[in-house]
Amino acid sequence: MGYIDLHVHSNASDGTLTPAQVVELAASRGLDAIALTDHDTIDGIEAAEAAAKRVGIQLVPGIELSCVYQEKEIHILGLFINPKDPVFSAEIKKLLDIRNQRNEEMLRRFQADGFAITEEDLQEGNPDTVITRSHFARVLVEKGYATSRDQAFKKYLQYGGPYCMRKEKITPEQAMGILTENHAFPSLAHIMQYKLSWAENEALISHLKELGLKGLEVYHSSHHEGQIRKLQVLAKDYGLLPTGGSDFHGANKPDIQIGVGRGGLRLSHYLLEDIQKAGH
């Protein structure tokens, strides 16, 4: 039985490889299946599916939705989405419109203060890419305004700062509604990144479970062994299936490799089989 990766990004959002290149890389690394889970967009799925057929691996169509829970941004993965559902496509377009308006305002603020940053710089040759803060961080480093991506985030891209206004709030209820109406498999992504207490983690999981949550990303590049063991127990206690992935972004996160994450993360195909047996 081979290995899988259920959380990867392409340049349809803030990765650096095209959807086809992501699939080809996964196949070259011996993976049986991957989920393309770009931020708030499904634009890369068609190309990824074509590449997956060509190289002979399974492509799970997915998405990663951002929403705000108690003033913290959280991410919910949608696996096995139906990208051809017109209602779903319309809802995703609304999210993209909100993101694009915010990006335009961020760019305007940088330019007003004399930063030589253009929309073309952010797009990096892909006019259809979904711009994220990672795009701004990359350009700030390339233009010499920051010495590293980490410094760019701390100096210029903190939410609520002069250049990075807070996002218009998309609620967990809205995000879960979009996914459940689409009959997707919703899984809470990288919960340890939200810096909640374990009691708060349970409260979040319980709330999302009531909204239709089916999975918990137990295995992730940012989770260490002790956290994984606790998350395994939480998933079982709340009747959620464990999911996992590297959160691969290509050169934007050079320490994370597809299929292995950080520190040798390897995910069995059995995880995917369990999700498929549950109706996907």
Side-chain angles (χ1 to χ4, degrees):
M1 187 59 66
Y3 296 102
I4 62 171
D5 191 335
L6 299 181
H7 190 161
V8 304
H9 295 271
S10 75
N11 71 349
S13 63
D14 57 347
T16 56
L17 301 182
T18 68
Q21 288 171 332
V22 170
V23 170
E24 290 161 1
L25 178 62
S28 74
R29 298 289 169 83
L31 297 182
D32 285 350
I34 64 167
L36 185 65
T37 54
D38 278 312
H39 295 281
D40 300 334
T41 183
I42 55 177
D43 286 350
I45 289 175
E46 186 174 353
E49 287 179 330
K53 288 178 182 177
R54 189 169 64 249
V55 300
I57 70 172
Q58 182 181 358
L59 190 284
V60 176
I63 195 167
E64 185 172 10
L65 297 182
S66 304
C67 55
V68 177
Y69 170 79
Q70 295 184 357
E71 303 305 315
K72 287 182 179 285
E73 181 175 313
I74 68 169
H75 293 173
I76 301 172
L77 296 169
L79 303 178
F80 290 100
I81 62 170
N82 175 9
K84 295 180 179 177
D85 174 5
V87 175
F88 180 74
S89 297
E91 291 295 334
I92 297 306
K93 185 179 184 303
K94 289 180 188 176
L95 297 182
L96 284 178
D97 288 344
I98 291 170
R99 187 186 280 270
N100 288 338
Q101 289 167 10
R102 176 172 169 272
N103 289 332
E104 288 170 7
E105 176 60 18
M106 286 177 65
L107 182 59
R108 187 197 68 75
R109 292 186 184 190
F110 274 115
Q111 290 175 340
D113 277 359
F115 288 76
I117 298 174
T118 67
E119 187 175 10
E120 289 73 22
D121 292 329
L122 295 169
Q123 291 170 344
E124 198 179 25
N126 180 11
D128 295 324
T129 190
V130 175
I131 302 297
T132 69
R133 289 188 303 158
S134 289
H135 292 79
F136 281 94
R138 171 182 57 77
V139 174
L140 287 165
V141 172
E142 289 174 354
K143 299 277 186 174
Y145 298 115
T147 57
S148 67
R149 288 167 54 85
D150 186 56
Q151 187 194 49
F153 272 96
K154 289 178 179 176
K155 189 173 181 180
Y156 301 112
L157 299 171
Q158 295 280 7
Y159 285 126
Y163 302 109
C164 189
M165 69 295 302
R166 292 194 176 276
K167 292 181 180 179
E168 182 175 329
K169 290 185 180 180
I170 306 299
T171 68
E173 289 78 9
Q174 288 172 295
M176 287 296 299
I178 290 170
L179 295 174
T180 55
E181 285 292 318
N182 186 250
H183 303 291
F185 181 93
S187 178
L188 178 60
H190 45 60
I191 191 171
M192 301 313 302
Q193 292 187 0
Y194 310 140
K195 309 297 184 186
L196 301 170
S197 69
W198 281 104
E200 290 170 329
N201 283 339
E202 284 211 50
L204 171 57
I205 291 169
S206 177
H207 178 56
L208 294 179
K209 171 75 173 180
E210 292 175 357
L211 298 174
L213 190 72
K214 294 183 179 180
L216 178 65
E217 193 172 44
V218 170
Y219 310 100
H220 184 268
S221 293
S222 64
H223 295 170
H224 62 62
E225 271 191 41
Q227 293 168 337
I228 288 171
R229 285 194 294 270
K230 288 186 177 181
L231 292 174
Q232 287 171 330
V233 172
L234 276 182
K236 186 174 182 181
D237 287 348
Y238 284 89
L240 301 172
L241 290 177
T243 70
S246 65
D247 209 351
F248 173 76
H249 282 71
N252 281 341
K253 292 185 179 180
D255 59 331
I256 295 176
Q257 300 302 311
I258 197 166
V260 294
R262 294 190 185 101
L265 173 76
R266 295 291 268 172
L267 301 169
S268 167
H269 199 282
Y270 290 122
L271 283 181
L272 184 55
E273 284 191 5
D274 287 343
I275 294 170
Q276 291 173 310
K277 286 175 185 176
H280 288 276

